[in-house]
Amino acid sequence: MGLALCLGLTTCAMVPEAPTTASTPAPSPPSSSAEPALQKKEQASPRQDDSPRAVASLRLTEQARVLLESGKVDEAITTLERAMNVNPSNGRNYYYLAEAWLKKGNPSQAREFNRLAAMYLKDEPGWMNRVKDQQERIKPR
């Protein structure tokens, strides 16, 4: 009984809480590009799934994006795989997986994740522009 309760509490502690509707937005992590501002705009989209699984997946995806920016590609891939398991329809996750595999020099893996990103982000024009730009970078020269 004690072990089950302990495991249950541990599991609850690992689930990120849903975002609040506070009037002051949380600060975004520093970035060398205008990407965070674009992400805020797109995350506020009414089409976005606000289920706890979707929110948890997006948080993991954001953590992985920061890891990628800091050059921690293997850690980013591990985090992105976790995000994929939490919410397989998170297209942003596939976009960043493609980026990670590009950084690792594996264009065939990057191409597959780019294809999945295009499939899940087809209704988000801002992200589709990124996906198409990424696709161009993946093409063999």
Coordinates of all heavy atoms in Angstrom, one line a residue, residues 83-139:
A83 N 8.6 13.6 -25.6 CA 7.4 14.5 -26.1 C 6.6 13.7 -27.1 O 5.4 13.8 -27.1 CB 8.0 15.8 -26.7
M84 N 7.2 13.0 -28.0 CA 6.5 12.2 -29.0 C 5.7 11.1 -28.3 O 4.5 10.9 -28.8 CB 7.5 11.6 -30.0 CG 6.9 10.9 -31.1 SD 8.2 10.4 -32.4 CE 9.3 9.4 -31.4
N85 N 6.2 10.5 -27.3 CA 5.4 9.5 -26.6 C 4.2 10.1 -25.8 O 3.2 9.4 -25.7 CB 6.3 8.7 -25.6 CG 7.2 7.8 -26.4 OD1 6.9 7.3 -27.4 ND2 8.4 7.6 -25.8
V86 N 4.4 11.3 -25.4 CA 3.3 11.9 -24.6 C 2.1 12.4 -25.6 O 1.0 12.2 -25.3 CB 3.8 13.1 -23.8 CG1 2.7 14.0 -23.2 CG2 4.7 12.7 -22.7
N87 N 2.5 12.9 -26.7 CA 1.5 13.4 -27.7 C 2.1 13.2 -29.1 O 2.8 14.1 -29.6 CB 1.2 14.9 -27.4 CG 0.1 15.4 -28.4 OD1 -0.5 14.6 -29.1 ND2 0.0 16.7 -28.4
P88 N 1.8 12.1 -29.7 CA 2.3 11.8 -31.1 C 1.9 12.8 -32.2 O 2.5 12.8 -33.2 CB 1.8 10.4 -31.4 CG 1.4 9.8 -30.1 CD 1.0 11.0 -29.2
S89 N 0.9 13.6 -31.9 CA 0.4 14.6 -33.0 C 1.0 16.0 -32.8 O 0.6 16.9 -33.5 CB -1.1 14.6 -33.0 OG -1.6 15.1 -31.8
N90 N 2.0 16.1 -32.0 CA 2.7 17.4 -31.8 C 3.7 17.6 -33.0 O 4.8 17.1 -33.0 CB 3.5 17.4 -30.5 CG 4.3 18.6 -30.2 OD1 4.4 19.5 -31.1 ND2 5.0 18.6 -29.1
G91 N 3.3 18.3 -34.0 CA 4.1 18.5 -35.2 C 5.4 19.3 -34.9 O 6.4 19.1 -35.6
R92 N 5.4 20.2 -34.0 CA 6.6 21.0 -33.6 C 7.7 20.0 -33.2 O 8.8 20.3 -33.4 CB 6.2 22.0 -32.6 CG 5.2 23.0 -33.0 CD 4.7 23.9 -31.9 NE 3.5 24.6 -32.4 CZ 2.9 25.5 -31.7 NH1 3.4 25.8 -30.5 NH2 1.9 26.1 -32.2
N93 N 7.3 19.0 -32.5 CA 8.2 18.0 -32.0 C 9.0 17.4 -33.2 O 10.2 17.2 -33.1 CB 7.5 17.0 -31.2 CG 8.4 16.0 -30.5 OD1 9.2 16.4 -29.7 ND2 8.3 14.7 -30.9
Y94 N 8.2 17.0 -34.2 CA 8.9 16.4 -35.4 C 9.8 17.4 -36.1 O 10.8 17.0 -36.6 CB 7.8 15.9 -36.3 CG 7.0 14.8 -35.7 CD1 5.6 14.9 -35.4 CD2 7.6 13.6 -35.3 CE1 4.9 13.9 -34.8 CE2 6.8 12.6 -34.7 CZ 5.5 12.8 -34.5 OH 4.7 11.8 -33.9
Y95 N 9.4 18.7 -36.1 CA 10.2 19.7 -36.7 C 11.6 19.7 -36.0 O 12.7 19.7 -36.7 CB 9.6 21.0 -36.7 CG 10.5 22.2 -37.1 CD1 10.6 22.5 -38.4 CD2 11.2 22.9 -36.1 CE1 11.4 23.5 -38.8 CE2 12.0 23.9 -36.5 CZ 12.2 24.2 -37.9 OH 13.0 25.2 -38.2
Y96 N 11.6 19.7 -34.7 CA 12.8 19.8 -33.9 C 13.6 18.5 -34.0 O 14.8 18.5 -33.9 CB 12.6 20.3 -32.5 CG 12.2 21.8 -32.5 CD1 11.0 22.2 -32.0 CD2 13.1 22.7 -32.9 CE1 10.6 23.5 -32.0 CE2 12.8 24.1 -32.8 CZ 11.6 24.5 -32.4 OH 11.2 25.8 -32.4
L97 N 12.9 17.4 -34.1 CA 13.6 16.1 -34.3 C 14.4 16.2 -35.6 O 15.5 15.7 -35.7 CB 12.7 14.9 -34.3 CG 12.4 14.4 -32.9 CD1 11.1 13.5 -32.9 CD2 13.6 13.6 -32.3
A98 N 13.7 16.7 -36.7 CA 14.4 16.9 -38.0 C 15.7 17.8 -37.8 O 16.7 17.5 -38.3 CB 13.5 17.4 -39.0
E99 N 15.5 18.8 -37.1 CA 16.7 19.7 -36.8 C 17.8 19.0 -36.1 O 19.0 19.1 -36.5 CB 16.2 20.9 -36.0 CG 15.5 22.0 -36.7 CD 16.3 22.6 -37.8 OE1 17.4 23.1 -37.6 OE2 15.7 22.7 -38.9
A100 N 17.4 18.2 -35.1 CA 18.4 17.5 -34.3 C 19.2 16.5 -35.2 O 20.4 16.4 -35.2 CB 17.8 16.8 -33.2
W101 N 18.5 15.8 -36.1 CA 19.1 14.8 -36.9 C 19.9 15.5 -38.0 O 20.9 14.9 -38.5 CB 18.1 13.8 -37.5 CG 17.7 12.8 -36.4 CD1 16.5 12.8 -35.8 CD2 18.5 11.8 -35.9 NE1 16.5 11.8 -34.8 CE2 17.7 11.2 -34.8 CE3 19.8 11.4 -36.1 CZ2 18.2 10.1 -34.1 CZ3 20.3 10.3 -35.3 CH2 19.5 9.7 -34.3
L102 N 19.5 16.7 -38.4 CA 20.4 17.4 -39.4 C 21.7 17.8 -38.7 O 22.8 17.6 -39.3 CB 19.7 18.7 -39.8 CG 18.8 18.7 -41.0 CD1 18.1 20.0 -41.2 CD2 19.7 18.4 -42.2
K103 N 21.6 18.2 -37.4 CA 22.8 18.5 -36.7 C 23.7 17.3 -36.5 O 25.0 17.5 -36.4 CB 22.5 19.2 -35.3 CG 22.0 20.6 -35.5 CD 21.8 21.2 -34.1 CE 21.2 22.6 -34.4 NZ 21.6 23.5 -33.3
K104 N 23.1 16.2 -36.4 CA 23.9 14.9 -36.2 C 24.4 14.4 -37.6 O 25.1 13.4 -37.6 CB 23.1 13.9 -35.5 CG 22.9 14.2 -34.0 CD 22.4 13.0 -33.2 CE 23.3 11.8 -33.2 NZ 24.1 11.6 -32.0
G105 N 24.1 15.1 -38.7 CA 24.5 14.6 -40.0 C 23.8 13.4 -40.5 O 24.4 12.7 -41.3
N106 N 22.5 13.3 -40.2 CA 21.7 12.1 -40.7 C 20.5 12.7 -41.5 O 19.4 12.8 -40.9 CB 21.3 11.3 -39.5 CG 20.6 10.0 -39.9 OD1 20.1 9.9 -41.0 ND2 20.7 9.0 -39.1
P107 N 20.8 13.0 -42.8 CA 19.7 13.6 -43.5 C 18.5 12.7 -43.8 O 17.4 13.2 -43.9 CB 20.3 14.0 -44.8 CG 21.6 13.2 -44.9 CD 22.0 12.9 -43.5
S108 N 18.7 11.4 -43.9 CA 17.6 10.5 -44.1 C 16.6 10.5 -42.9 O 15.4 10.5 -43.1 CB 18.0 9.1 -44.5 OG 18.7 8.5 -43.4
Q109 N 17.2 10.5 -41.7 CA 16.3 10.6 -40.5 C 15.6 11.9 -40.4 O 14.5 12.0 -40.1 CB 17.2 10.3 -39.3 CG 16.4 10.0 -38.0 CD 15.8 8.6 -38.0 OE1 16.1 7.8 -38.9 NE2 15.0 8.4 -37.0
A110 N 16.4 13.0 -40.7 CA 15.8 14.3 -40.7 C 14.7 14.4 -41.7 O 13.7 15.1 -41.5 CB 16.9 15.4 -41.1
R111 N 14.9 13.9 -42.9 CA 13.8 13.9 -43.9 C 12.5 13.3 -43.5 O 11.4 13.8 -43.7 CB 14.3 13.2 -45.2 CG 13.5 13.4 -46.4 CD 14.2 12.8 -47.7 NE 15.5 13.4 -48.0 CZ 16.7 12.8 -47.8 NH1 16.7 11.5 -47.4 NH2 17.8 13.4 -48.0
E112 N 12.6 12.1 -42.8 CA 11.4 11.4 -42.3 C 10.7 12.3 -41.2 O 9.5 12.4 -41.2 CB 11.8 10.1 -41.7 CG 10.6 9.3 -41.1 CD 9.6 9.0 -42.2 OE1 9.8 9.0 -43.4 OE2 8.4 8.7 -41.7
F113 N 11.4 12.9 -40.3 CA 10.8 13.7 -39.3 C 10.2 15.0 -39.9 O 9.2 15.5 -39.5 CB 11.7 14.0 -38.1 CG 11.9 12.8 -37.2 CD1 13.1 12.2 -37.1 CD2 10.8 12.3 -36.5 CE1 13.3 11.1 -36.2 CE2 10.9 11.2 -35.7 CZ 12.2 10.6 -35.6
N114 N 10.9 15.5 -40.9 CA 10.4 16.7 -41.6 C 9.0 16.4 -42.3 O 8.1 17.2 -42.3 CB 11.4 17.2 -42.7 CG 10.9 18.3 -43.5 OD1 10.3 18.1 -44.6 ND2 11.1 19.5 -43.0
R115 N 9.0 15.2 -42.9 CA 7.7 14.7 -43.5 C 6.6 14.6 -42.5 O 5.5 15.1 -42.7 CB 7.9 13.3 -44.2 CG 6.7 12.8 -44.9 CD 6.9 11.4 -45.4 NE 7.0 10.4 -44.3 CZ 5.9 10.0 -43.6 NH1 4.7 10.4 -43.9 NH2 6.0 9.1 -42.6
L116 N 6.9 14.1 -41.3 CA 5.9 14.1 -40.2 C 5.5 15.5 -39.8 O 4.3 15.7 -39.5 CB 6.4 13.2 -39.1 CG 6.5 11.7 -39.4 CD1 7.3 11.0 -38.3 CD2 5.1 11.1 -39.5
A117 N 6.5 16.3 -39.6 CA 6.2 17.7 -39.2 C 5.2 18.4 -40.2 O 4.2 19.0 -39.8 CB 7.5 18.5 -39.1
A118 N 5.5 18.2 -41.5 CA 4.6 18.7 -42.6 C 3.2 18.2 -42.4 O 2.2 18.9 -42.6 CB 5.2 18.4 -43.9
M119 N 3.1 16.9 -42.1 CA 1.8 16.3 -42.0 C 1.0 16.9 -40.8 O -0.2 17.2 -41.0 CB 2.0 14.8 -41.8 CG 0.7 14.0 -41.8 SD 1.0 12.2 -41.8 CE 1.4 11.9 -40.1
Y120 N 1.6 17.1 -39.7 CA 0.9 17.5 -38.5 C 0.8 19.1 -38.4 O -0.1 19.6 -37.7 CB 1.6 17.0 -37.2 CG 1.3 15.6 -37.0 CD1 2.3 14.6 -37.3 CD2 0.1 15.1 -36.6 CE1 2.1 13.3 -37.1 CE2 -0.2 13.8 -36.4 CZ 0.8 12.8 -36.6 OH 0.6 11.5 -36.5
L121 N 1.6 19.8 -39.2 CA 1.6 21.3 -39.1 C 1.0 21.9 -40.3 O 1.0 23.1 -40.5 CB 3.0 21.8 -38.9 CG 3.7 21.4 -37.6 CD1 5.2 21.8 -37.6 CD2 3.0 22.1 -36.4
K122 N 0.3 21.1 -41.2 CA -0.2 21.6 -42.4 C -1.2 22.7 -42.3 O -1.4 23.5 -43.2 CB -0.8 20.4 -43.2 CG -2.1 19.9 -42.6 CD -2.7 18.7 -43.4 CE -3.9 18.2 -42.8 NZ -3.8 16.8 -42.4
D123 N -1.9 22.8 -41.2 CA -2.9 23.9 -40.9 C -2.3 25.1 -40.2 O -3.0 26.0 -39.8 CB -4.1 23.4 -40.1 CG -4.8 22.3 -40.9 OD1 -4.9 22.4 -42.2 OD2 -5.4 21.4 -40.3
E124 N -1.0 25.2 -40.0 CA -0.3 26.3 -39.3 C 0.7 26.9 -40.3 O 1.8 26.5 -40.4 CB 0.4 25.8 -38.1 CG -0.6 25.2 -37.1 CD 0.0 24.8 -35.7 OE1 0.9 25.7 -35.2 OE2 -0.2 23.8 -35.2
P125 N 0.3 28.0 -41.0 CA 1.1 28.6 -42.0 C 2.5 29.0 -41.6 O 3.5 28.8 -42.3 CB 0.3 29.8 -42.5 CG -1.1 29.5 -42.1 CD -1.0 28.6 -40.9
G126 N 2.7 29.6 -40.4 CA 4.0 30.0 -39.9 C 4.9 28.8 -39.8 O 6.1 28.8 -40.2
W127 N 4.4 27.7 -39.2 CA 5.2 26.5 -39.1 C 5.5 25.8 -40.4 O 6.6 25.3 -40.6 CB 4.6 25.5 -38.1 CG 4.9 25.9 -36.7 CD1 4.1 26.6 -35.8 CD2 6.1 25.7 -36.0 NE1 4.8 26.8 -34.6 CE2 6.0 26.2 -34.7 CE3 7.3 25.0 -36.3 CZ2 7.0 26.1 -33.7 CZ3 8.3 24.9 -35.3 CH2 8.1 25.5 -34.1
M128 N 4.5 25.9 -41.3 CA 4.7 25.3 -42.6 C 5.9 26.0 -43.4 O 6.6 25.3 -44.1 CB 3.4 25.2 -43.5 CG 2.5 24.1 -43.1 SD 3.3 22.4 -43.1 CE 3.8 22.3 -44.8
N129 N 6.0 27.3 -43.2 CA 7.1 28.0 -43.8 C 8.4 27.5 -43.3 O 9.4 27.2 -44.0 CB 7.0 29.5 -43.6 CG 5.9 30.1 -44.4 OD1 5.5 29.6 -45.4 ND2 5.4 31.2 -43.8
R130 N 8.5 27.2 -42.0 CA 9.7 26.7 -41.4 C 10.0 25.2 -41.9 O 11.1 24.9 -42.2 CB 9.6 26.6 -39.9 CG 9.6 27.9 -39.2 CD 9.5 27.6 -37.7 NE 9.3 28.8 -37.0 CZ 9.3 28.8 -35.6 NH1 9.5 27.8 -34.9 NH2 9.2 30.0 -35.0
V131 N 8.9 24.5 -42.0 CA 9.1 23.1 -42.5 C 9.6 23.1 -43.9 O 10.5 22.3 -44.2 CB 7.7 22.3 -42.3 CG1 7.8 21.0 -43.1 CG2 7.3 22.1 -40.9
K132 N 9.1 24.0 -44.7 CA 9.6 24.0 -46.1 C 11.0 24.5 -46.2 O 11.8 23.9 -47.0 CB 8.6 24.9 -46.9 CG 7.3 24.3 -47.2 CD 6.3 25.2 -47.9 CE 5.0 24.6 -48.0 NZ 4.0 25.6 -48.6
D133 N 11.4 25.5 -45.4 CA 12.8 25.9 -45.3 C 13.7 24.8 -44.9 O 14.8 24.6 -45.4 CB 12.9 27.1 -44.4 CG 12.3 28.4 -44.9 OD1 12.0 28.4 -46.2 OD2 12.1 29.3 -44.1
Q134 N 13.2 24.0 -43.9 CA 14.0 22.9 -43.4 C 14.1 21.8 -44.5 O 15.2 21.3 -44.7 CB 13.3 22.3 -42.2 CG 14.0 21.2 -41.5 CD 13.2 20.6 -40.3 OE1 12.1 20.1 -40.5 NE2 13.7 20.8 -39.1
Q135 N 13.1 21.6 -45.2 CA 13.1 20.6 -46.3 C 14.2 21.0 -47.3 O 14.9 20.1 -47.8 CB 11.7 20.6 -46.9 CG 11.5 19.4 -47.9 CD 10.1 19.4 -48.4 OE1 9.5 20.4 -48.7 NE2 9.6 18.2 -48.6
E136 N 14.3 22.3 -47.6 CA 15.3 22.7 -48.6 C 16.7 22.4 -48.0 O 17.6 22.1 -48.8 CB 15.2 24.2 -48.9 CG 14.0 24.5 -49.7 CD 14.0 23.8 -51.1 OE1 15.1 23.9 -51.7 OE2 13.0 23.2 -51.5
R137 N 16.9 22.6 -46.7 CA 18.2 22.4 -46.1 C 18.6 20.9 -46.0 O 19.7 20.5 -46.0 CB 18.3 23.0 -44.7 CG 18.3 24.5 -44.7 CD 18.5 25.1 -43.3 NE 17.2 24.9 -42.5 CZ 17.1 24.3 -41.4 NH1 18.2 23.8 -40.8 NH2 16.0 24.3 -40.7
I138 N 17.5 20.0 -46.0 CA 17.7 18.6 -46.0 C 18.1 18.0 -47.3 O 18.9 17.1 -47.4 CB 16.5 17.9 -45.4 CG1 16.2 18.3 -44.0 CG2 16.6 16.4 -45.6 CD1 14.9 17.8 -43.5
K139 N 17.6 18.6 -48.4 CA 17.9 18.1 -49.8 C 19.4 18.0 -50.0 O 20.2 18.8 -49.6 CB 17.3 19.1 -50.8 CG 15.8 19.0 -51.0 CD 15.4 19.9 -52.1 CE 13.9 19.8 -52.2 NZ 13.4 20.7 -53.2

